[in-house]
Amino acid sequence: MTQRSLPVELPRFRLAQLPTPLHDAPRLAAALGIERLLIKRDDLTGFAGGGNKVRKLEFLVGDALARGADTLIAVGGPQSNAVRTAMVAARVAGLDPIAVLYGDPPSTREGNLLLDVLAGARLVFTGQADRGSTEPAAAVLAAELSRTGRHPYVLPRGGATPIGDAAYVEAAAELDDQLAALHARPSAVIVATGSCGTQAGLIAGAVWLGASYKVCGVLVSRSRSEAVPRLLSLARSTAELLELGVNIGPQDVLVEDRYLGPGFGLASPEGDAALRLALACEGLILDPVYTAKAMAGLVGMVAHGSISRTVPLVFVHTGGEPALYARHSLYEPGVLRPEGSVDA
């Protein structure tokens, strides 16, 4: 089969090594008591350890360059995977990288923040613990730069816009080809959902392709009441941008909200158990903020009977491992310290 192309061609700056692998995880499937589990390895997009963020940045950086930008501003927390990947992508594309981060400068620079520094990013801290403080600060900074004749391009949190989400419509087409080659018709695709862009793109892609599966997002930052309308709006806007000619309704938006744990950026006991299980069974390295909680959601949904054990399932590994390496203080031998923040 030949991968189906997007109907609309968007500006693009190539960064990723595609397609990413899709492979069986037989030992993890056996541990969970399910017939077949496939792992979509978007942690292996091949650029700066950026995972799913790399696909989105191809289109977002492409749009920035097409608009004549000379500066890329990204917002998030000190351990944001999206910010770190954006800072490296900006340097590669010849744009000045600026990270607007909530909170105060930490005493040490580890994990993603270390990579921001190595990329030469300018770090701007809002001095406020509220992660919502980053967008207004970025807007003020962009206005100041514009007054001096610069041309900044501000990325929304997580790159969650129809332009960024188009990357995951393309990823759905890639997955469609791979599933056909493996003779697999899954009932569900499980993915971590934070800013909602990855799931929204996958939903639009699944409806466009007439996929056998539903896309279920395990919520890691937002409430169900906030995430569902946001997902529906993003999926519809992405489909409209790409002229997919499909109708996306509430029935296409599935979320699981029982695995957030103490909150966004905070490790959870369920996530830690899932992290250890995936590592022991398949050598998969998950991060405590996104993928570990998504895996915990998969484990829990299987245990509760809300998804079938006898039909193949797909887990999208969206990456984010560098955030784990800044979290050594959270872990002692065999023990999770759930009070520890991971500042994503």
Side-chain angles (χ1 to χ4, degrees), residues 128-304:
Q128 301 178 48
D130 180 8
R131 61 192 179 114
S133 64
T134 55
E135 283 87 350
V140 170
L141 177 59
E144 292 173 352
L145 290 170
S146 296
R147 284 194 293 270
T148 66
R150 303 297 299 276
H151 301 284
Y153 187 96
V154 181
L155 295 175
R157 191 180 304 157
T161 70
I163 291 172
D165 301 349
Y168 270 88
V169 178
E170 183 179 75
E174 180 181 301
L175 177 61
D176 193 57
D177 260 15
Q178 293 173 316
L179 289 170
L182 293 173
H183 306 289
R185 287 180 57 82
S187 62
V189 168
I190 311 300
V191 65
T193 294
S195 58
C196 296
T198 298
Q199 186 183 356
L202 288 173
I203 290 170
V207 175
W208 174 51
L209 296 163
S212 64
Y213 57 80
K214 293 290 187 180
V215 182
C216 181
V218 179
L219 300 181
V220 301
S221 66
R222 300 172 190 270
S223 67
R224 177 184 294 269
S225 62
E226 182 183 1
V228 169
R230 178 173 170 81
L231 283 163
L232 186 58
S233 176
L234 280 170
R236 285 172 169 171
S237 297
T238 303
E240 182 179 359
L241 172 70
L242 295 176
E243 300 177 8
L244 299 183
V246 297
N247 293 315
I248 299 172
Q251 74 279 359
D252 298 307
V253 180
L254 301 180
V255 296
E256 171 56 67
D257 63 357
R258 290 177 289 181
Y259 297 91
L260 176 59
F264 178 64
L266 299 174
S268 69
E270 297 86 358
D272 182 62
L275 183 156
R276 295 176 189 273
L277 180 66
L279 185 62
C281 289
E282 301 292 345
L284 292 175
I285 300 175
L286 306 179
D287 81 288
V289 180
Y290 293 94
T291 52
K293 291 183 179 182
M295 183 62 75
L298 171 58
V299 172
M301 286 186 283
V302 169
H304 297 144

